[in-house]
Amino acid sequence: MCAKISTLPAEDIRKAIIDNLKLRERDLCEKLGISEAELVAANIDHGVTPITPDLDKLFPVFERFGEVMALTRNASAVHEKKGVYTNYHSGKFAAMTLGKDIDMRMFPARWVYAFAVEKNTDEGIRRSFQIFDKHGDSVHKVHIGINKHEQLFKEVTNELVFKNFNLDIEPFTKEPLIEVTDEVKKTLVEQWSQMTDTHQYVNIIRKLGLTRLQAVHHGEKFSYQLKQDAITALLNKLAGTDIPIMCFVGSRGCIQIHSGPINTVKPMGPWINVLDPKFNLHLRTDHIKEIWAVKKPTDKGHVNSIEAYDHDGELIAQFFGKRIEGMDENPKWRAGVLEIIEESNKVRGN
C-alpha cells in the first residue's frame, strides 16, 4: 500500500478513468502511479465533495442511513459487512463502533482525507463515503447503495463539507526492523507466557520494538508456522458449520471484524472468497508468504488465532474462534486449529 506522489493534472486523471472503465480503481492507481485518494480527488466538483474526516461527526451521520455496507481493506484482503453503524465510542487515540454487524476499531489520527462520492454506473448512481490516510491509501469506505438516499446524502454532504480542502500526499516509508537479540527473544517469551488477556500482546511486542511477524518467528511454543494453503483449508473446514469465528482485516487506520459462522466459500483465480449475505471476504492467496497459528494465554485458558502475512511482512488477516470476553474459547475452534497444525507438521515431516 505504498502511495506515490502524483504530478498528473486532475483532468488527465479523469480522462484515464473514462478510458479504463473496466479496470479496478486500485489497479488504475497502480497504472497511473498515483494514490487512491488522488484518483478520487480528481473528481472534486464532478460528483466528489471533500468532507471532514472527524470521526465524531462522521459516525452519527453513517448511522442515519440505516443498513449500508462497511468496507475495510489492505493490499491483500477486502472485508465487507452489511449492517447499521451503532454504538459508537469516541476516543482521541482509538475509537470503536460496536454494532451487531458492523464492529470496528478506528485510529482517528490516520483518518486524514474524506470524500462524499456519487458515481454514475450502468446500474445507477452509486453513493459512498470514502476515507484515506495521509499517504492516500484507503482507510475505510461506507457504501450507501445504488440509487438510494439521494436527499439524505445531499443533506449530510452539505453538513460535513470541508471548505478549505488541500490534498498533500506523503510518501510511505517503512521503518527498519530491529535486530532480535537473544535478550529480546528471552524477554518476549517470558512476557508472552505471563499474559492474562489477549490485548496485552500488542503492548508487549510494541515495547520490544518488534513487528507481529518478528514476534511469531520467535514465539517458541506459542507460535507454529503452517502450510501455505492453511487459510483456504481453514475457510473450507468452517464453511457450513455452526462454529462462530472472528475475522479481522485492517487498514492502517481501521480494523473491521466479522463475528459469526460462515457458509459459502469459493475460489476465484488467486482469490479465496467468503460470499455470505451480510459478510464478504476477498483474500489474495498469492499475496500470502507465511501463515502462523498463534497461542495467547489468558486467565481463562489460551486463545488460538490463525494469521496470514504478506511478502512485506504485513498482517493480511487474522482468524479467531468467537468467544465471550472472560471465557475460554470454543473447543470446536480449538480442535480445528490443532488439526490444521498437525496437517502442517505432516507436510514438513515433523
Side-chain angles (χ1 to χ4, degrees):
M1 295 197 298
C2 185
K4 302 175 183 178
I5 301 298
S6 171
T7 56
L8 286 178
E11 56 268 26
D12 289 354
I13 297 175
R14 290 198 296 272
K15 183 178 184 303
I17 293 171
I18 294 170
D19 292 343
N20 295 272
L21 291 176
K22 293 186 178 180
L23 200 61
R24 290 191 317 148
E25 290 178 350
R26 191 177 184 87
D27 294 333
L28 180 57
C29 290
E30 288 290 328
K31 181 178 178 179
L32 297 177
I34 64 175
S35 68
E36 193 177 349
E38 290 169 274
L39 189 77
V40 175
N43 273 310
I44 290 175
D45 296 329
H46 297 270
V48 172
T49 304
I51 59 174
T52 177
D54 185 339
L55 279 74
D56 290 349
K57 294 179 180 177
L58 288 174
F59 276 82
V61 164
F62 296 163
E63 186 171 345
R64 289 164 63 182
F65 285 90
E67 184 170 282
V68 295
M69 191 265 277
L71 186 153
T72 299
R73 69 164 303 154
N74 52 48
S76 306
V78 184
H79 191 295
E80 302 170 352
K81 281 287 289 187
K82 289 182 179 177
V84 179
Y85 285 84
T86 59
N87 202 7
Y88 169 69
H89 297 261
S90 179
K92 182 177 180 181
F93 301 107
M96 300 182 290
T97 185
L98 303 173
K100 177 177 177 287
D101 293 308
I102 298 179
D103 182 5
M104 295 164 38
R105 310 292 178 269
M106 299 82 71
F107 310 106
R110 297 180 179 180
W111 291 50
V112 178
Y113 304 113
F115 305 93
V117 179
E118 290 187 299
K119 182 178 180 181
N120 286 308
T121 71
D122 292 340
E123 302 168 286
I125 298 177
R126 189 185 300 272
R127 296 183 174 91
S128 63
F129 298 104
Q130 304 188 21
I131 299 93
F132 301 88
D133 66 14
K134 66 181 180 180
H135 310 296
D137 287 321
S138 176
V139 169
H140 185 63
K141 297 180 181 180
V142 182
H143 288 276
I144 306 303
I146 296 175
N147 295 331
K148 289 185 176 181
H149 298 295
E150 178 181 3
Q151 187 58 38
L152 178 58
F153 191 83
K154 185 180 296 185
E155 289 173 8
V156 300
T157 298
N158 289 334
E159 291 173 17
L160 298 171
V161 67
F162 197 95
K163 295 180 179 178
N164 297 315
F165 176 79
N166 179 49
L167 188 68
D168 185 18
I169 300 297
E170 296 184 24
F172 174 73
T173 55
K174 191 171 181 179
E175 298 204 5
L177 300 176
I178 71 158
E179 179 185 357
V180 186
T181 64
D182 289 341
E183 183 62 31
V184 169
K185 293 177 192 177
K186 180 182 177 183
T187 303
L188 170 68
V189 175
E190 284 179 354
Q191 294 187 1
W192 198 331
S193 66
Q194 295 166 10
M195 284 173 53
T196 58
D197 185 283
T198 58
H199 299 100
Q200 295 167 351
Y201 180 74
V202 172
N203 287 331
I204 290 171
I205 63 175
R206 182 182 292 136
K207 287 178 180 177
L208 291 172
L210 300 174
T211 66
R212 284 181 176 270
L213 188 58
Q214 285 179 310
V216 297
H217 269 261
H218 301 288
E220 297 184 357
K221 64 181 179 179
F222 296 109
S223 51
Y224 309 85
Q225 189 167 5
L226 305 178
K227 61 181 183 176
Q228 200 63 24
D229 67 347
I231 296 293
T232 299
L234 171 71
L235 294 176
N236 284 324
K237 192 184 296 288
L238 292 167
T241 71
D242 63 348
I243 303 174
I245 66 165
M246 298 181 76
C247 171
F248 292 65
V249 169
S251 64
R252 291 194 195 100
C254 180
I255 299 169
Q256 189 165 300
I257 307 163
H258 163 75
S259 297
I262 60 173
N263 291 296
T264 303
V265 175
K266 289 185 178 179
M268 295 180 188
W271 299 86
I272 188 69
N273 305 278
V274 177
L275 303 173
D276 289 343
K278 288 199 169 186
F279 171 54
N280 280 193
L281 172 70
H282 312 288
L283 194 154
R284 284 282 299 256
T285 57
D286 58 330
H287 284 192
I288 297 174
K289 183 179 182 184
E290 297 180 24
I291 302 174
W292 290 78
V294 182
K295 182 187 294 187
K296 300 183 181 77
T298 76
D299 57 0
K300 301 295 182 182
H302 64 270
V303 171
N304 292 280
S305 63
I306 292 184
E307 307 180 355
Y309 293 86
D310 68 15
H311 291 266
D312 292 325
E314 298 293 332
L315 181 65
I316 298 173
Q318 288 177 297
F319 300 86
F320 291 82
K322 183 182 178 182
R323 70 187 185 100
I324 298 172
E325 195 71 28
M327 296 185 66
D328 202 0
E329 72 178 358
N330 188 325
K332 291 182 180 179
W333 165 260
R334 182 175 293 172
V337 172
L338 292 174
E339 187 176 331
I340 289 174
I341 292 173
E342 289 172 4
E343 290 170 357
S344 294
N345 285 338
K346 287 177 184 177
V347 170
R348 291 194 295 268
N350 292 346

